[in-house]
Amino acid sequence: MCGIVGYVGAKQALEVVVSGLRRLEYRGYDSAGVAVVSDSVLVTRKRAGKLVNLESLLGAEPLPESTTGIGHTRWATHGVPNDANAHPHVDCSGRIAVIHNGIIENFAELRAELSAGGHSLDSDTDTEVAAHLLEEAVERAGGSLADAMRAVCARLEGAFTLVAIDSRSPDLVVGARRNSPLVVGVGDGEMFMASDVAAFIEYTRDALELGQDQVIELRADSVLVTDFAGNPVEVRAFRVDWDASAAEKGGYDLFMLKEIAEQPKAVADTLLGRIGPNGELRLDLGLPEEALRDIDKVVITACGTAYHAGMIAKYAIEHWTRIPCEVELASEFRYRDPILGRRTLVIAISQSGETMDTLMAVRYAREQGARVLAICNTNGSTIPRESDAVLYTHAGPEVAVASTKAFTTQVVAVYLVGLYLAQVRGDKFGDEVRAIIRELADMPRKVDIVLDTVEPVRELARQLKDATSVLFIGRHVGFPVALEGALKLKELAYMHAEGFAAGELKHGPIALLEPGTPVVVIVPSPLGRSVIHDKIVSNIQEVRARGALTIVIAEEGDESVEAWADHLIRVPVCPTLLQPLVATIPLQVLACELATAKGHDVDQPRNLAKSVTVE
Ligand code: AGP
């Protein structure tokens, strides 16, 4: 979860690297550091805390001019966030600087070997071993930093993106990746390497997608990519489909507010081009139709918010296709010995495409012979590359750590997959599929309506500022929405929040209720599956009878809840299965506003990072 930037070209490297780190700070902000090569001398600056601390240091102790440099913003795994543990790390001779994202799992034995060999390691990090290994390897490699990197990578176990510079090769930046993100930006007479295209998007939108176990040599006018054995490899070029302004706040105080507001467009963009003129679905999944007709089980795997989208998918896919569908936390999936085979379709949902738990689940599923479909928001990321097929969401860059538009577009994407399966397999009559697709196509408008009516939610959030606990309950697809609302509150307001299947309250959790406990209730449409609706109205009465403060999300016109709602939040009428697309939004706003009222850093909450690239 760290942010990495490398640059070589004609510009002042420091300016490019720090600008890139600003765009990557969402990946981790425990410390930051930079290194440049100037007149064949390596110079580094690093400081604990957010990037602003490093910028203060650079103001006080400026770096010399240089056109080759690297930078890092850290999410600590080994070693507390202090100056000594900040990256870059340097070898004994002060010749080589290296930055790292991931975990070097055999660092302890390597550290012991290096110390025994006379190296002086002065940090508690796993990364520092790479600096000293490079120091030894570059001598053996006759001065070739790339050869040294290949030799060192062959000794490392675990997940790593490494980027290094060498004072004796002032026009070169060398990178390597295994199980951790790295992408190349191709400029005009300049080259970039970074964890995410956001770091160099203001300079170029031309990028190269890198594969597993690869070493990259960047010079101002050349890129050379090999495998760890030194064999040249082909890499895929792509053009980033959003611009630098999309990665900025666009006039909003917070990235999260911007991304909440972008949801109508994000939902519309995710549908764009995927619905044919006659209302049929056109998904280029990259999986043959006969393979889709042969599926006898679907397993959805993801983490966090993406997992909640997967829970919603289960209801939709089973209802539309009658294919058994399991939903598994990626961090549990491969350790429970799941039953997978060539007729299993595993759907891996990930906004970043770099979540290690989900990536490991994808690998395991493919080893077991299952086909894997990735649902992802990040072009060029690892999970889609290692899957059999991918359906991209088109939410645009999501910078705030708390996921919002990624969630709603993930839900849209899994609906599309479920409907497409029904269409291809004939599990649903064509007119039924087309009717649901028409409803889906109207959701951007309904999402917009919700956004226009959330001001009372902001006021309510401020009233809840001092609450110590908030419960969320829902039934059917409202249950994953309840879990998602609770997660938002935990990660942003740092307060206890818990989501429950409403029917479960009476089996224990209702004992949590005290007079005034806020309980958020997601009420399904009274139309269609009204039995669920009536039962949750009973649940509202149960909690109200025990003094709860009831905050009810219900659709326009549903009068049955009015007598029991202390606060009533209205959402547009829509089919039960599609309701999460509108019911989740007030919960996002509630959490964002409550965290703001508490004075928290909403875009970069404590202890979190946007992409969890360690297991
Ligand atoms: C949700 O707000 C969090 N950012 C987190 O739960 C996130 O959804 C999870 O880490 C999965 O990330 P991914 O979608 O990038 O794989």
Side-chain angles (χ1 to χ4, degrees), residues 74 174 210 479 491 512 592 614:
R74 184 177 182 230
V174 172
L210 300 172
F479 170 33
E491 59 181 336
L512 287 169
C592 181
V614 291

Side-chain angles (χ1 to χ4, degrees), residues 453-536:
T453 59
V454 290
E455 192 46 43
V457 178
R458 299 189 200 288
E459 177 50 39
L460 170 61
R462 292 188 280 269
Q463 292 172 25
L464 295 177
K465 176 171 169 288
D466 300 320
T468 54
S469 174
V470 179
L471 308 187
F472 294 75
I473 63 173
R475 285 182 180 260
H476 196 264
V477 289
F479 170 33
V481 172
L483 295 176
E484 176 59 13
L487 176 61
K488 287 283 145 319
L489 217 51
K490 287 176 216 176
E491 59 181 336
L492 293 167
Y494 313 153
M495 62 195 290
H496 174 255
E498 200 161 348
F500 300 99
E504 268 301 289
L505 271 187
K506 56 189 175 295
H507 300 291
I510 201 163
L512 287 169
L513 287 185
E514 294 173 345
T517 301
V519 179
V520 179
V521 190
I522 296 97
V523 179
S525 170
L527 312 171
R529 308 175 71 81
S530 61
V531 64
I532 305 172
H533 171 274
D534 298 345
K535 289 198 180 304
I536 206 153

